[in-house]
Amino acid sequence: MRMPEKSTEPQTTDVQALLNARGFSGYQWIIFALCFLVVLFDGFDTAAMGYIAPSLISDWGLSRTDLAPVLGAALLGLAVGAFGAGPLADHWGRKSVLVVSVALFALASLASAFSPDVQTLTVLRFVTGIGLGAAMPNAVTLMSEYCPDARRATLTNAMFCGFPLGAAMGGFVAAWMIPAWGWASVLLLGGIAPLLLLVLLLRLLPESLRYLVAQGYPAEQLRKVVARVIGRSVAPAQAFVLGESRAEGQEGSAIALVVSPRYRLGSAMLWLAYFMGLVIFYALVNWMPVIFSDAGLDARTGALVAALFPLGGVGAVLSGWLMDRFNADRVVALGYGLAAVAVACIGLAVGQLAWLVAAVLLAGLFMNTAQASMPALAAGFYPTRGRATGVAWMLAIGRFGGITGSLVLAELLVRRWGTTEIFAVLAIPGLIGMVALLVKQHFAALPQVPRAHAGR
């Protein structure tokens, strides 16, 4: 009797199907923790200048106009770093760019602590911003590419909560450290902590498995990464695939895909919503302690109340859970709409501490929940080949919203606008962000998505 011939086809393994079929392993939780800490320190360093601004004004005899370039320099650096992060990560890998980015913003933050004048500080904050801007999209992309499809928004949002938590932590730390050791101590901490994290990143963080497959790394090397991540051997696998439709990647470069007719409107609406969210976020994080100081609160109380605003980003975990189950665009749009109402209420509550605390908490909850959900929303909108560029470009273009918010609010303060009017103006971008996502949901062409219920 003739025996059947053995197939000469290599046994292939779909890496995403493998991640979907397994529970979230202990090593995947390590990846989550490392990316969470990157984003945490990113948030801390990004918001640090806002918390030390009153002390800088006092110690260096600066006006609010003098301080505006310092606050804007980091935001411009964030945009530069984010624009370059996607293409660099596509060429060198997510981990390599992430490690260099963390080293850059850590060293620049350390150097900023020893700035002799405002010009030097402005340049160093720009360099810090480049590192911060390149780190975040790579952390988001790497984390999302190790998530099972059905939990991607929940886990990515939970990781991204590190950013508002880091920003909030900066306020509490600044309120304790500045009276004891001066404003430079906050920048020193913002450099030393990520340098310690850098050691863990080099030793423990793997490269994105999807990136390794896409780059054609040998199956033997891929088997080792898979075994490390999921906790068991996949020795029979002779080849690994991404299991995606090739049709998603036939539109030229990743940049061409992001602005192609199929994705153009959705990209524009993502950019607009994220831009408007950062108008609010950076205007308040950078200037809220100064506004409260002008309104009669002492510096310590103002810093503590202002620190409650970014703390609200922990609501992104619930938002991610809802995004995995319902229409993600509508979930995030609702967050922007509620944020607009809460931000306007802050201006009405100044002078009544209890109501002010409540208004800042609610504004932070809605605003930061919506904003922290945007990277997961973008990651789910683009196919793998355009995902890193899509997420990075949304973050980059949004940074100009941060610059705009800081500069506009500085101008309003120079013109001596009242507190109620300032916060009413800051509510408008939240409404625009809500409308942008509703337009995306209603008019943008629906890309292929891995979950059958994702378009509900």
Side-chain angles (χ1 to χ4, degrees), residues 238-420:
Q238 299 299 312
F240 291 85
V241 296
L242 294 176
E244 280 191 333
S245 169
R246 296 294 297 176
E248 290 287 348
Q250 300 300 316
E251 302 182 63
S253 68
I255 295 173
L257 184 146
V258 169
V259 297
S260 66
R262 183 176 187 182
Y263 294 95
R264 186 179 299 150
L265 177 61
S267 294
M269 293 302 100
L270 286 170
W271 298 345
L272 180 60
Y274 200 73
F275 179 98
M276 290 300 168
L278 289 190
V279 167
I280 297 175
F281 182 85
Y282 283 108
L284 294 186
V285 167
N286 284 333
W287 289 109
M288 198 154 44
V290 176
I291 295 173
F292 290 162
S293 177
D294 290 345
L297 273 68
D298 65 87
R300 183 174 182 276
T301 302
L304 290 173
V305 174
L308 298 174
F309 178 76
L311 190 62
V314 295
V317 178
L318 175 60
S319 176
W321 184 85
L322 293 171
M323 290 167 67
D324 279 329
R325 286 156 180 80
F326 303 103
N327 185 285
D329 291 305
R330 292 176 183 172
V331 169
V332 184
L334 178 62
Y336 278 114
L338 294 173
V341 175
V343 167
C345 289
I346 295 177
L348 300 173
V350 172
Q352 305 173 69
L353 186 58
W355 287 107
L356 180 62
V357 167
V360 171
L361 274 172
L362 286 175
L365 175 65
F366 296 129
M367 182 69 258
N368 292 291
T369 291
Q371 201 68 9
S373 300
M374 289 294 291
L377 192 65
F381 181 67
Y382 297 107
T384 296
R385 195 178 59 79
R387 182 173 295 128
T389 298
V391 172
W393 276 39
M394 183 192 74
L395 294 174
I397 292 171
R399 298 301 180 186
F400 292 102
I403 298 170
T404 301
S406 292
L407 296 178
V408 167
L409 193 48
E411 182 63 24
L412 295 181
L413 289 172
V414 169
R415 292 175 179 267
R416 300 188 181 279
W417 279 42
T419 305
T420 303

Side-chain angles (χ1 to χ4, degrees), residues 11 67 99 115 124 199 252 287 326 354-355 401 403 420:
Q11 183 172 345
L67 196 61
V99 166
S115 299
L124 289 173
V199 179
W287 289 109
F326 303 103
W355 287 107
I403 298 170
T420 303

Side-chain angles (χ1 to χ4, degrees), residues 119 200 247 278:
Q119 291 79 16
L200 297 178
L278 289 190

Side-chain angles (χ1 to χ4, degrees), residues 14-22 28 145-148 229-230:
D14 181 342
V15 293
Q16 189 59 47
L18 194 63
L19 294 174
N20 291 342
R22 301 286 164 182
Q28 282 169 293
E145 291 179 344
Y146 271 110
C147 290
V229 171
I230 70 173

Side-chain angles (χ1 to χ4, degrees), residues 443-455:
F443 292 107
L446 183 68
Q448 291 182 349
V449 290
R451 300 186 300 277
H453 59 279

